[in-house]
Amino acid sequence: MEITNLCVDQVDVRETDDELTLILSAAGTHIMAIRVRYDGWVDEVINSAGATAPGPGAWTLIDHELCLEMDSKAVAIFGFSRDCRIHLDVDDDGIRRVRAALLEILQCSCFVVDTAEGRVTS
C-alpha cells in the first residue's frame, strides 16, 4: 500500500459566515486546507495550488498523527496516495484546534479521535 507522509508545523483555523477552514502548513508554506462550506454542508480538501477535491471519507487523529483516507478523485488531483498521513509537529493547543475543527468540518466522515475524555469513534 502506498502512503503519503507529510509533516506540518503550523495550523490555522479560520471561520466566516460561509465556511470553516483548517489550514495546515510546513515551514511557512501552505500544504493543504480542509474546509466545510456551510451552504450544502460540503467538505473538501484544497492543495497549495488551489485545486479542490472531495474531503476524506475517513480520518483519524491519534496523538500527533492525522491520517486522511482520500478518494480516487483526490488521489488523481493531488498526487497523494489514498492513505495520507500527516505528522502534526505542533503543541497541545494546536492539536486541540485541529481536533475541534475536524470534528465540525468532517462530521459526516468516519473517524477515530483522541479527546481529553478518551478515544471517540463515529
Side-chain angles (χ1 to χ4, degrees):
M1 173 193 287
E2 210 175 307
I3 297 172
T4 299
N5 288 301
L6 303 170
C7 186
V8 165
D9 59 18
Q10 182 180 355
V11 297
D12 188 21
V13 178
R14 297 181 186 166
E15 186 167 17
T16 67
D17 291 340
D18 301 324
E19 62 188 45
L20 174 64
T21 306
L22 171 64
I23 301 167
L24 305 174
S25 303
T29 302
H30 168 88
I31 301 294
M32 78 170 58
I34 304 168
R35 165 176 77 187
V36 64
R37 290 183 287 132
Y38 296 130
D39 182 25
W41 209 260
V42 175
D43 59 85
E44 54 197 4
V45 177
I46 306 145
N47 72 2
S48 59
T52 304
W59 62 281
T60 62
L61 178 58
I62 310 286
D63 193 27
H64 286 250
E65 300 301 319
L66 172 62
C67 297
L68 306 172
E69 185 180 301
M70 303 290 200
D71 71 4
S72 58
K73 184 175 181 179
V75 169
I77 290 172
F78 300 143
F80 294 155
S81 62
R82 186 167 169 78
D83 185 9
C84 182
R85 297 181 185 183
I86 303 166
H87 175 74
L88 301 170
D89 189 14
V90 297
D91 61 14
D92 289 340
D93 182 57
I95 296 296
R96 280 189 289 278
R97 288 185 295 136
V98 168
R99 180 177 53 238
L102 289 176
L103 283 169
E104 183 166 344
I105 294 168
L106 300 175
Q107 63 180 274
C108 294
S109 300
C110 297
F111 63 85
V112 177
V113 63
D114 278 342
T115 69
E117 294 77 28
R119 189 161 289 172
V120 177
T121 60
S122 64

